[in-house]
Amino acid sequence: MNIDTLEKLRALYAAPKERAVRKQLSALDSHCRRFIELSPFVVVASGNVTQAMDASPRGGAPGFVKALDERTLLIPDAPGNNRLDTLENILGTGKVGLLFMIPGIDETLRVNGAARLSCDEEQLQLFAGEKHRPKLVIEVSVAEAYLHCAKALMRSGLWQASSQVKRSLLPTMGQMINSQTGIEAPAETQEEMLGRYAADL
């Protein structure tokens, strides 16, 4: 049986506890801002006007995403593959969802809000010390922020050394993309890929 109504869905689950409801904030408090200061990694979820969804990882030194105040975040653009999926989605809908992670910490921070692309010089100047000065920043106006419990990362054992998978268990990125695309060219080795990436890190 398909679950196609809210009533059917809610019949399967107990009501959320008061704590789970009240933890959702409308702005970044000191705990949220500290979490962002320590985070080197965020997943940016976005969608386009046809409701096609996308999630894109972004990384940098801890605190690479900057909180201007309790309601404003700046995410610097960084060199990538130039598909611009996230940026085009923001142009279309002006909305993002963010998931911040800190290595070794099982809790995560979720932030949702409006987003726009900015080339404001004062904002860009905040990232002047980066290896690659961004061409633009994603400016996020925070609508919701809340800490997410540790269960998912505890179940996955994500930060445990025993959970790490040897890279050799997968083909190289070059081999996989050649297979997926049908491109007939010498597959880039893992070492060659890492050397090519080094200039953009």
Side-chain angles (χ1 to χ4, degrees):
M1 182 179 71
N2 291 332
I3 306 301
D4 53 9
T5 68
L6 181 58
E7 289 73 22
K8 290 179 182 178
L9 175 63
R10 272 295 165 199
L12 295 175
Y13 297 91
K17 294 181 179 179
E18 180 184 15
R19 176 176 168 172
V21 175
R22 292 183 60 181
K23 72 178 182 177
Q24 180 176 311
L25 307 175
S26 60
L28 304 171
D29 70 354
S30 60
H31 303 297
C32 294
R33 294 181 72 166
R34 181 59 176 156
F35 201 103
I36 293 167
E37 288 175 358
L38 294 174
S39 174
F41 184 82
V42 63
V43 178
V44 182
S46 63
N48 66 19
V49 294
T50 66
Q51 300 183 356
M53 302 304 296
D54 182 69
S56 175
R58 304 291 171 112
F64 78 102
V65 175
K66 300 190 184 304
L68 293 187
D69 53 47
E70 65 179 8
R71 294 185 182 277
T72 311
L73 290 174
L74 298 180
I75 306 172
D77 185 41
N81 58 18
N82 293 324
R83 283 178 54 108
L84 308 184
D85 297 311
T86 300
L87 305 184
E88 290 184 6
N89 287 346
I90 290 171
L91 288 176
T93 65
K95 301 287 186 182
V96 293
L98 309 176
L99 179 68
F100 288 94
M101 304 172 76
I102 302 173
I105 304 294
D106 286 334
E107 290 78 16
T108 56
L109 174 67
R110 295 168 63 171
V111 177
N112 302 315
R116 68 186 184 109
L117 308 181
S118 171
C119 288
D120 180 84
E121 188 57 35
E122 288 187 12
Q123 293 180 347
L124 293 175
Q125 192 59 33
L126 295 174
F127 303 94
E130 299 292 329
K131 180 179 177 182
H132 300 282
R133 189 173 187 269
K135 296 178 180 179
L136 58 81
V137 297
I138 301 171
E139 180 181 327
V140 180
S141 297
V142 177
E144 301 171 344
Y146 52 99
L147 294 164
H148 194 94
C149 78
K151 290 178 183 176
L153 270 69
M154 291 174 67
R155 290 181 184 123
S156 69
L158 185 64
W159 307 128
Q160 297 174 16
S162 60
S163 297
Q164 292 187 359
V165 174
K166 293 181 180 179
R167 185 62 186 80
S168 60
L169 293 179
L170 282 173
T172 67
M173 186 69 159
Q175 289 169 331
M176 289 189 286
I177 290 179
N178 277 7
S179 174
Q180 292 173 336
T181 62
I183 292 174
E184 295 183 7
E188 187 177 45
T189 67
Q190 196 70 15
E191 292 74 19
E192 290 169 339
M193 182 200 73
L194 293 174
R196 178 170 58 83
Y197 283 177
D200 287 338
L201 295 179

